[in-house]
Amino acid sequence: MERLVIIPTYNEKENIEAIITAVMNLPLAFEVLVIDDGSPDGTADIVKGLMAGKYAGRVHLVERQGKLGLGTAYIAGFKWAIEHKAEYIFEMDADFSHNPQDLLKLYDACANEGADLAIGSRYVTGVNVVNWPMGRVLMSYFASKYVRFVLGMPVCDTTAGFVCYRRNVLETIELDKIRFKGYAFQIEMKFTAYKCGFRIKEVPIIFVNRVLGTSKMSGGIFSEALLGVIRLKVSSWTRKYPKKTV
């Protein structure tokens, strides 16, 4: 398996078939793994229909019982990807806030430009966010600035959820030691990869707010991220991080 896109879902029936179709229609072959947290709206049933139909063998599904958190969904997906020998593993939202065409740019950064971890960045060339309320844009932008300052990590978009990992990154960074479940999970993954010595490249993207479905963002998620970076920084003083191997 060369390229696997992991898409966590909860109540995404309006988007899931369209986003999978968009990925399937890219000029490079991708596979998709949906991690569904017991969506009562039938999201998983839509995925099963695609698995049994025109995308058999390229679409996969892991069903979990209840909302267990974004971080644990991705950890489950990463372990599945490692088990199935995926070479390049992507994180992407189901709601088209991430343009599927940009998967090609993230892949190119890792496959051809030497990056171990490629980030679809909203802030590396300014602020590239469409249709978000200004308050939310400012909160997200300055949260990333704060995280970069506290952790000393040279990443502009620290909370980005549009990412490509080489498999070696996920095999190295000790997934069972990743603690955060909300958006702080995204910070912790990047910081751990950075501390392990992996090369990180930010690829500019335009982030577009969802049109269909309901956002899962909340103030509590941002609070976890802001407080979590202090814990990450303090724990990094004593933790021995595994190092990147060739």
Side-chain angles (χ1 to χ4, degrees), residues 2-3 28 30 88 90 102-113 118 164:
E2 181 76 3
R3 293 168 288 267
L28 291 178
F30 288 80
Y88 299 92
F90 301 78
D102 288 333
L103 290 167
L104 302 172
K105 297 197 298 187
L106 295 178
Y107 171 70
D108 187 60
C110 287
N112 301 316
E113 297 178 11
C164 176

Side-chain angles (χ1 to χ4, degrees), residues 5-44:
V5 181
I6 301 173
I7 303 178
T9 56
Y10 183 78
N11 286 350
E12 292 288 356
K13 69 177 182 180
E14 297 96 341
N15 294 304
I16 192 60
E17 182 169 358
I19 196 74
I20 289 174
T21 299
V23 174
M24 294 294 107
N25 288 338
L26 291 171
L28 291 178
F30 288 80
E31 296 187 35
V32 170
L33 171 63
V34 175
I35 310 289
D36 186 69
D37 272 6
S39 298
D41 71 346
T43 297

Side-chain angles (χ1 to χ4, degrees), residues 22-237:
V23 174
M24 294 294 107
N25 288 338
L26 291 171
L28 291 178
F30 288 80
E31 296 187 35
V32 170
L33 171 63
V34 175
I35 310 289
D36 186 69
D37 272 6
S39 298
D41 71 346
T43 297
D45 291 334
I46 296 171
V47 176
K48 289 174 184 175
L50 298 175
M51 292 169 64
K54 56 184 174 179
Y55 301 136
R58 294 182 62 193
V59 175
H60 315 277
L61 173 67
V62 172
E63 293 184 88
R64 309 197 305 167
Q65 299 304 311
K67 294 180 70 175
L68 302 176
L70 180 74
T72 64
Y74 272 126
I75 294 296
F78 293 155
K79 290 181 176 180
W80 191 99
I82 291 169
E83 180 182 347
H84 290 81
K85 304 298 183 184
E87 292 297 329
Y88 299 92
I89 299 99
F90 301 78
E91 298 181 8
M92 189 173 75
D93 291 347
D95 60 7
F96 284 94
S97 56
H98 303 140
N99 184 343
Q101 290 288 334
D102 288 333
L103 290 167
L104 302 172
K105 297 197 298 187
L106 295 178
Y107 171 70
D108 187 60
C110 287
N112 301 316
E113 297 178 11
D116 300 301
L117 165 58
I119 299 169
S121 178
R122 298 163 290 185
Y123 306 129
V124 71
T125 58
V127 178
N128 294 307
V129 177
V130 177
N131 292 336
W132 258 10
M134 182 54 66
R136 185 168 170 185
V137 172
L138 293 173
M139 182 167 59
S140 173
Y141 178 75
F142 285 109
S144 277
K145 290 283 190 184
Y146 163 80
V147 172
R148 180 171 178 159
F149 173 75
V150 172
L151 296 181
M153 179 172 56
V155 172
C156 295
D157 194 349
T158 55
T159 60
F162 195 24
V163 179
C164 176
Y165 296 93
R166 288 178 175 269
R167 186 175 78 224
N168 184 37
V169 178
L170 300 179
E171 290 175 330
T172 300
I173 63 175
E174 301 174 322
L175 293 173
D176 287 335
K177 292 187 178 180
I178 300 296
R179 293 288 173 252
F180 293 112
K181 295 183 178 181
Y183 277 73
F185 161 82
Q186 301 290 5
I187 300 168
E188 186 176 8
M189 286 291 296
K190 295 176 184 67
F191 182 62
T192 305
Y194 168 68
K195 295 293 284 185
C196 290
F198 289 103
R199 183 186 174 200
I200 300 174
K201 179 179 177 63
E202 290 189 84
V203 176
I205 64 160
I206 296 174
F207 179 96
V208 181
N209 194 29
R210 70 161 63 232
V211 175
L212 300 174
T214 303
S215 172
K216 314 305 187 293
M217 182 66 73
S218 70
I221 286 173
F222 264 104
S223 296
E224 180 201 40
L226 292 175
L227 296 175
V229 296
I230 301 296
R231 293 166 55 189
L232 275 178
K233 183 66 173 181
V234 172
S235 67
S236 74
W237 293 338

